Amino acid sequence: MSKALTRRIKELEEEWGKLRSELKERSQAGEDSELTSNPSTHENTDSKPDVNTSSCKKGKKVAKERPFDFSAHPRRHVALRLAYLGWSYQGFAVQDNTDNTVEARLFEALLKTRLIQDRQSSNYHRCGRTDKGVSAFSQVITIDLRSTQFCGGLGISVPEHVDVSIKNKATGSEVPYVKMLNRVLPQDIRILDWSPAAEGFSARFDCKSRTYRYYFPRGSLDVTLMAEAAKRYEGTHDFRNLCKMDVGNGVLQFERTILSASVKPVQPQDISSTGPYDVFIFEIKGLAFLYHQVRCMMALLLLIGQKLEDPELIDKLMDVQSNPRKPQYSMAVDYPLVLHDCHFQGLAWEQDIEEVSHVLSELQQHWTQSTVRSHVLHGMIQGLGAAGGVSSNACCLVEGSKQRNYRPLLERPCCESLESRINHFVKRGRLEREEGENGGETVHRGKKSKHSHSSPSLPVSSEMSSPKQSTDEKAED
Amino acid sequence: MSKALTRRIKELEEEWGKLRSELKERSQAGEDSELTSNPSTHENTDSKPDVNTSSCKKGKKVAKERPFDFSAHPRRHVALRLAYLGWSYQGFAVQDNTDNTVEARLFEALLKTRLIQDRQSSNYHRCGRTDKGVSAFSQVITIDLRSTQFCGGLGISVPEHVDVSIKNKATGSEVPYVKMLNRVLPQDIRILDWSPAAEGFSARFDCKSRTYRYYFPRGSLDVTLMAEAAKRYEGTHDFRNLCKMDVGNGVLQFERTILSASVKPVQPQDISSTGPYDVFIFEIKGLAFLYHQVRCMMALLLLIGQKLEDPELIDKLMDVQSNPRKPQYSMAVDYPLVLHDCHFQGLAWEQDIEEVSHVLSELQQHWTQSTVRSHVLHGMIQGLGAAGGVSSNACCLVEGSKQRNYRPLLERPCCESLESRINHFVKRGRLEREEGENGGETVHRGKKSKHSHSSPSLPVSSEMSSPKQSTDEKAED
């Protein structure tokens, strides 16, 4: 093992050395002023640093920054639709302990292209958060971007002190948001299209529903049983036992509505096809989701598919009267999960066919690499199988199901109940209980909570009518 | 771009820092003596270093090495069959400028398990070399390994001064070569089985034939045309225009025999199936191959499949009288290529079903990850296609075919001819010409060549009868 570490260090050192040199060359070239904290002054974001820098290197200072005057430009409220491969990132949302998030890359791009001045003033909302390793085909954000439309329009605010003649002049087309951003974003994050949005339209609060997909190979799973089990998720249920409760952040009620849940093959196959290498999708559409909810739902389906549990388990876990506490079980792994769609009304997506085609080509190249590798592996698997090898057929998408002595979920130790968690935070002042009318009780964020000014006040007792499903900030998977 | 570099450096620095600490901890633990150049004294290669090292850290010195006495053990000549995924390596063969090769890992494992004393005395031959990025399902090597068989046997040499009583004692089973090596090899290199071999049996010289596979998606390729074109490769032909000539290393004649060449779908599909995402295999079996030969052959097939060239191109390029010099064209990329089989006579592979099953499970897990990712990508491709995206359908497995103005191969500039290359090396003394009988001429390695003592002497003129196909040291792809 240490040998491998030593080797890795050597590789890193070499790589590190090369990167240092490359970085030195570029900064000496003077073309790239990104080492300063000011946004680039280069209007044309396509310019490549000139590597023939003999004249540049000799004492050329970095050009003095001319701050960009955002107040001179119109701004408009827009929705942007993103697709990203989450496998190389630590999640969508910006985090304290790492720079490696999709949002971080997104805001770098928005700043570099000077479409926003800074995050704080950009009126940014996101439809959902995806976790580390989770991808998205339709992540939607709303934000205010720089615009060319001095003539005004939907969601557009024009600067006050602009010359009337400029306002009345025929305005050209809008800033090519999609093209500009895709040029500076990393290849695994892409803007698919954009839409004008009315002022106040929010990706977070105006999202009508969200659809997730979870891809998995059949292996030795009973996919018919899984499909039947999945149907049980449809409807409105309390999902506290099928998520990671986030009471500390004010998520206090766990009823959610699932509009549809299905398990289907990716390609319509022969009904009689039973190949272990066929791939299926668990697709689920809901109004809003709790933290890790989809992966917990998938974990149960995988246990059911392996015949380690019955489909009735689902109904039992959603029966929080009988089962108020969640048994300990692992959720399904992250990489097969995709936020496939976020549905809105009132948006008109403006697609640039050229851009879409470009993204399509990139995806196809990536797919080619991935698929060829799969087939190389498959060829070897076939060869070993022919040689008499027997696979364990264990499902590797959920931890714990490979153990020799499988322990049924309902016999396992349980996690803390919701009540217990609430008490925990009440003690710390982050939640506060209040006597309500009729002897009922409400709980809301306390003064010590960082969101105490906007605390939803929710009844704790389940006999109370369920309030409108909050669009949980840390809700998504 | 620099921002990305700076970020990467930070990541590397963090990673580097962690690795340094981890490495320090382990060496202080004293369990792992690999930092010294002596092989480990630990008999049990399964032992894990003890991480609770409070007693160990306090001044414990690394245990004094007891050198292992190889001369006290029998040795036996064996063949080992390996499978490896070449994607993370700089090729199979050990190189001067990098430690990151399959062979380097293999020899580390052989030394660590004390199956050999050192490479030089191990009588090591390999069937072929695979290049950077190329994988193998059946790479075969022959080597002398430590044995328990004091009673002797096929290919076994017993130490001379061994007590007669030990010799006559019933010997147990042989050292479990496959299991031992797989425990210390990285996961992407696996010994599949081993075979006793007669003294003198060579993986390199006794290989009867080799089979390669190249995996590729249909895209917009005319696979029927490619299959027809592939057949033209069968037979004995001069492949100098379909390889990278390696004259400097003594490869002077380029006739090779292809036993079979085909293009087929990985899964027997409907004949009428025309999906661009169907995957095909170019499978080719030959006695021996030249350097990069298979990838050049594949490159031509891909050009033919794109209708950029006719199948007749193949016959023309193999007609070295008419086309003595190779036109400039890129070979196909590396990652889809697999050395699928090496055929021998006189070997009896001893398979450990448990080991094979273990490898099978590992491959299945890897396949699951790879395939799920492919399907995530495919789902996005489908979504964009439905949105009106049009893919370029360019073939991304060969460089240069995407250019707007495709230049037919036979109209392109050519590389140096064989004659010209020979002259080049004759001038430098690495090759020497000699007058032969009947006015013919032979060329062989000169005194300045590092292999001059074993130089094959070959006629240069193509009218001379073709000698036995040399098993080129740097022959394989």
Side-chain angles (χ1 to χ4, degrees), chain A residues 184-385:
Chain A
V184 297
L185 282 166
Q187 210 190 46
D188 47 10
I189 303 174
R190 281 288 169 258
I191 313 292
L192 299 181
D193 35 42
W194 73 279
S195 166
E199 189 184 321
F201 192 96
S202 161
R204 178 179 169 189
F205 297 112
D206 289 309
C207 183
K208 296 300 173 199
S209 63
R210 297 160 174 86
T211 301
Y212 281 89
R213 284 187 174 179
Y214 196 97
Y215 293 82
F216 64 99
R218 187 204 300 267
S220 56
L221 296 166
D222 184 339
V223 290
T224 309
L225 197 60
M226 290 170 74
E228 188 261 307
K231 287 273 157 273
R232 298 167 187 243
Y233 286 135
E234 292 176 349
T236 301
H237 307 280
D238 189 311
F239 284 94
R240 72 182 68 178
N241 294 330
L242 289 93
C243 74
K244 185 172 161 143
M245 282 202 257
D246 200 14
V247 171
N249 269 327
V251 180
L252 301 167
Q253 78 86 4
F254 300 87
E255 280 199 0
R256 295 291 181 276
T257 301
I258 299 299
L259 301 170
S260 65
S262 65
V263 170
K264 289 178 181 160
V266 289
Q267 283 163 27
Q269 306 277 10
D270 237 17
I271 300 287
S272 54
S273 175
T274 51
Y277 304 105
D278 295 334
V279 176
F280 285 75
I281 307 178
F282 169 49
E283 187 168 281
I284 180 152
K285 182 173 178 177
L287 302 188
F289 289 87
L290 296 155
Y291 190 38
H292 290 164
Q293 183 183 338
V294 180
R295 287 165 70 180
C296 287
M297 294 167 85
M298 189 64 210
L300 298 185
L301 289 181
L302 289 168
L303 293 174
I304 289 164
Q306 294 171 86
K307 305 267 189 27
L308 295 169
E309 299 281 351
D310 294 321
E312 286 70 35
L313 172 71
I314 289 176
D315 306 299
K316 287 177 183 166
L317 288 180
M318 295 192 303
D319 176 4
V320 297
Q321 303 280 24
S322 312
N323 294 292
R325 293 169 62 189
K326 178 187 171 190
Q328 289 172 2
Y329 64 95
S330 302
M331 54 184 178
V333 298
D334 53 27
Y335 67 89
L337 183 61
V338 186
L339 172 58
H340 183 71
D341 211 349
C342 295
H343 314 273
F344 293 85
Q345 284 169 4
L347 292 179
W349 297 109
E350 309 230 352
Q351 235 176 31
D352 180 337
I353 288 294
E354 198 185 312
E355 274 303 303
V356 169
S357 302
H358 199 72
V359 175
L360 195 57
S361 287
E362 290 171 346
L363 284 173
Q364 282 176 326
Q365 283 190 42
H366 199 145
W367 172 87
T368 295
Q369 280 201 30
S370 198
T371 294
V372 162
R373 287 184 185 213
S374 285
H375 281 273
V376 166
L377 293 161
H378 191 250
M380 295 193 184
I381 288 168
Q382 298 244 313
L384 290 179

Side-chain angles (χ1 to χ4, degrees), chain B residues 249 430 445-454:
Chain B
N249 270 326
R430 285 179 60 187
R445 282 189 174 114
K447 295 179 179 54
K448 289 191 185 172
S449 158
K450 46 182 180 167
H451 300 290
S452 58
H453 59 282
S454 60

Side-chain angles (χ1 to χ4, degrees), chain B residues 102-131:
Chain B
V102 178
E103 250 184 12
R105 299 290 84 73
L106 182 62
F107 276 97
E108 277 167 17
L110 289 163
L111 289 165
K112 185 171 181 179
T113 51
R114 280 167 303 161
L115 289 174
I116 63 171
Q117 191 164 8
D118 51 58
R119 179 173 174 155
Q120 292 79 349
S121 66
S122 66
N123 189 20
Y124 167 75
H125 283 199
R126 59 188 172 220
C127 179
R129 295 168 57 128
T130 46
D131 222 30

